[in-house]
Amino acid sequence: MSNAPTGTTFSEQATRLVARVDQDRWGSVRPSLYETARVTSAAPWLHGETRRVEYLLDEQASDGSWGDGPEPYRLLPTLSAVEATLAVLRRATVSGDVRDRLTSAAGRGLAALRALPPQGPWPDTAAAELLVPSLISEVNEHLALAAEEIPGLAGVGTADRLAVPGGYHEGAPAYVAGRYKAAGALPVKLHHTFEGIAGHIPPALIPDIDGLLGSSPAATAAWAASRRTSAAVKEAVAHLEPVAHRYDGLFTEAAPIRVFERLWVAAALARAGLPAAGVPTVRTWVDEIYDPEGVRGAPGLMTDADDTAMAVLVASLVGRPYGPGPLDLFHNGSHFDCYIGEDTGSVTANAHALQALVSCSQHLPPADGIDDPRSDKLCDWLIGQQRTEGHWTDKWHASPYYSTERCVSALAQHGGHHATAAVAQAAAWTADTQRDDGSWGVWGGTAEETAYAVKILLSAAPPAPGPRQVRALVRAEAYLDAAVDARAQHPALWHDKTLYAPDAMIEAEILCAREMLRIRHL
């Protein structure tokens, strides 16, 4: 956590954060255990395997599992790590103490997998329905040969195949690949998680690449393994090595996250008043990112409504003359699909779209189109997604405080009787769920989620919060001050293939919340 000490001003901290984000072409996010294990397994030809093996060994938890979050979230990273340890052991490229440690880690990982609940509910992370059964199949293939090739695993249950947990289907990867084989093309939406179907894709459907496939190191390593040519390996190395260099030999699940990071940082800081020193940089970001054909969160991904909405929003906030036209690509009549072929909708993407439409109506000239009738429909749709308890949930983040803050901010900006009632209900739920130490959190109190809760309460209480909200905000302010001074690592709460923590974006949210708290005292 890189938050500045509490004694420096918001303007100083925000200006430094904008400068730091501007100088980082990859993005501030910790490496992914899942992704690093996939590259370790599929790319023995890539320099740095010793570093990655040590990382896998060091990251194993005391219960034998790998990954962040509660048990359901640890299924996929543990499968990935177990498969990678077995793959390295079968390659016989390690010996002595490292081989013994890998053997022990694999055995403990298998035991952890067998101890997981046989049924869900499982988290709604990217393509888990393909990645989980694919990895179980690969682990079982290793186990079938383990008695001969990995003698040290004898007696730890290698004879028993791992079962596919309830909620997943063993044949899903082959089925999905077969559908697209019949169609004659592999959609871009499957590029990011290509490793989940790589073993079932015929050569004719394997796409060409001019960078990381689907912005994913794991997908790129699987692509090279599927191509099985020295030219493919050489091309993959050229794209993977710069990522490894940025992340100390390891890999993130998307690279770079430059577009995503810059838009979310800018939007968060603008909520509290973007410092004048940062405006020219953010305008440059917007000019580079905004695209009338839609915005991609990272190279190789599909254009999506979420990043497009944030580009429209940030452009309007810093005075760039770009309208909401690109959002037309994603509108389905009542709300916005994140991307073409989306399976489950996103309330946070739609909240960002509503914020963008409202902001454009406020900041752009009337001649540019912006008394958009879609705003009212979108407001109604968001209200319809609210849970009876008063909050919202979303597929892009584990915490309801993130999705609720996004929806509350959008609805409060839109206004209207029904929106005001929904916001008040969300604020009541938020106040009810504050922890004894003044924090909020889905699994435990965090500075990130407390920042979201602060913004919910402040959005719901114009022109001034009531006594109950004041007490909650005072406790929250003390918690955030202490958390910033402690500089603890942010827990991983964001959804991709597994959980991750985009540090610069989280820092921007906390800076914004603390400044909003400071302003309310004036």
Side-chain angles (χ1 to χ4, degrees):
M1 179 171 172
S2 54
N3 292 317
T6 55
T8 58
T9 68
F10 168 77
S11 179
E12 292 168 335
Q13 293 178 69
T15 300
R16 284 197 296 269
L17 178 57
V18 168
R20 193 175 82 233
V21 169
D22 188 58
Q23 292 162 11
D24 186 356
R25 62 181 291 256
W26 292 102
S28 178
V29 62
R30 296 192 298 275
S32 160
L33 185 287
Y34 166 85
E35 202 82 0
T36 299
R38 293 299 80 232
V39 174
T40 303
S41 175
W45 29 262
L46 187 67
H47 177 74
E49 181 172 293
T50 299
R51 164 73 177 110
R52 290 186 280 278
V53 168
E54 285 294 330
Y55 168 74
L56 296 181
L57 290 170
D58 290 344
E59 290 295 309
Q60 189 171 28
S62 59
D63 67 356
S65 68
W66 281 268
D68 296 297
E71 275 191 336
Y73 282 92
R74 300 173 80 84
L75 170 62
L76 186 59
T78 301
L79 280 169
S80 185
V82 166
E83 192 285 326
T85 59
L86 293 172
V88 172
L89 285 166
R90 289 188 60 203
R91 289 202 290 263
T93 55
V94 293
S95 59
D97 176 64
V98 174
R99 183 174 183 83
D100 292 342
R101 291 168 63 203
L102 278 172
T103 302
S104 174
R108 292 169 56 227
L110 287 166
L113 288 169
R114 293 191 171 105
L116 287 173
Q119 301 286 336
W122 306 106
D124 185 15
T125 50
E129 71 279 5
L130 302 177
L131 301 177
V132 167
S134 175
L135 278 169
I136 288 175
S137 176
E138 291 181 46
V139 168
N140 285 334
E141 288 179 17
H142 289 310
L143 294 180
L145 300 169
E148 295 179 8
E149 299 185 21
I150 316 173
L153 279 181
V156 295
T158 59
D160 299 324
R161 289 170 54 88
L162 289 178
V164 177
Y168 296 112
H169 301 282
E170 184 176 6
Y175 172 75
V176 170
R179 283 174 52 197
Y180 294 112
K181 178 181 179 182
L186 188 68
V188 175
K189 78 170 188 173
L190 290 179
H191 288 186
H192 183 59
T193 53
F194 178 76
E195 68 271 20
I197 56 172
H200 304 279
I201 295 294
L205 259 64
I206 299 175
D208 294 327
I209 64 173
D210 57 4
L212 291 176
L213 179 62
S215 82
S216 165
T220 304
W223 172 87
S226 299
R227 281 288 175 95
R228 299 181 181 180
T229 66
S230 58
V233 168
K234 183 177 180 180
E235 187 168 6
V237 167
H239 300 312
L240 290 168
E241 282 191 336
V243 186
H245 179 74
R246 166 61 177 84
Y247 297 104
D248 190 26
L250 310 177
F251 294 93
T252 57
E253 289 178 19
I257 63 165
R258 179 172 67 243
V259 168
F260 175 43
E261 179 177 79
R262 291 178 176 185
L263 292 174
W264 265 248
V265 165
L269 297 179
R271 176 80 180 272
L274 186 67
V279 170
T281 299
V282 173
R283 285 176 173 164
T284 300
W285 293 352
V286 169
D287 291 340
E288 293 173 352
I289 292 170
Y290 184 94
D291 188 330
E293 299 300 319
V295 175
R296 308 169 195 275
L301 297 181
M302 299 178 70
T303 57
D304 68 89
D306 207 6
D307 289 282
T308 301
M310 289 294 268
V312 171
L313 172 62
V314 173
S316 71
L317 294 174
V318 296
R320 302 307 294 152
Y322 304 129
L327 284 170
D328 295 348
L329 303 166
F330 308 100
H331 197 253
N332 63 20
S334 63
H335 61 284
F336 293 87
D337 294 326
C338 264
Y339 51 84
I340 305 302
E342 182 182 37
D343 295 320
T344 54
S346 166
V347 297
T348 60
N350 279 277
H352 293 150
L354 181 57
Q355 286 183 287
L357 295 176
V358 172
S359 184
C360 284
S361 72
Q362 295 170 342
H363 293 95
L364 292 181
D368 288 341
I370 326 285
D371 185 14
D372 198 319
R374 293 176 298 183
S375 296
D376 292 338
K377 285 187 177 181
L378 188 51
C379 178
D380 291 340
W381 183 84
L382 283 173
I383 292 170
Q385 306 307 306
Q386 188 174 23
R387 301 294 181 94
T388 56
E389 299 88 347
H391 65 279
W392 284 263
T393 60
D394 193 62
K395 65 181 179 179
W396 299 124
H397 203 287
S399 175
Y401 296 101
Y402 172 77
S403 45
T404 301
E405 184 275 319
R406 276 357 197 205
C407 292
V408 163
S409 294
L411 293 173
Q413 289 175 39
H414 180 273
H417 174 71
H418 295 300
T420 300
V423 167
Q425 187 182 5
W429 169 81
T430 301
D432 287 342
T433 55
Q434 188 174 30
R435 293 175 178 269
D436 291 342
D437 63 356
S439 70
W440 282 267
V442 63
W443 300 319
T446 70
E448 178 188 352
E449 292 168 280
T450 301
Y452 300 139
V454 164
K455 292 198 280 184
I456 293 168
L457 294 177
L458 291 174
S459 295
R468 185 184 184 207
Q469 291 169 328
V470 167
R471 289 192 296 271
L473 291 169
V474 168
R475 295 166 62 212
E477 188 167 20
Y479 175 85
L480 286 175
D481 287 347
V484 168
D485 285 341
R487 297 172 179 251
Q489 179 173 275
H490 296 299
L493 294 167
W494 296 64
H495 282 181
D496 190 355
K497 301 173 193 179
T498 60
L499 293 169
Y500 71 103
D503 289 327
M505 292 156 58
I506 296 169
E507 181 177 344
E509 297 290 348
I510 296 169
L511 278 174
C512 171
R514 295 181 67 221
E515 178 65 3
M516 291 172 69
L517 285 167
R518 186 192 68 82
I519 291 171
R520 79 181 179 89
H521 295 306
L522 299 179

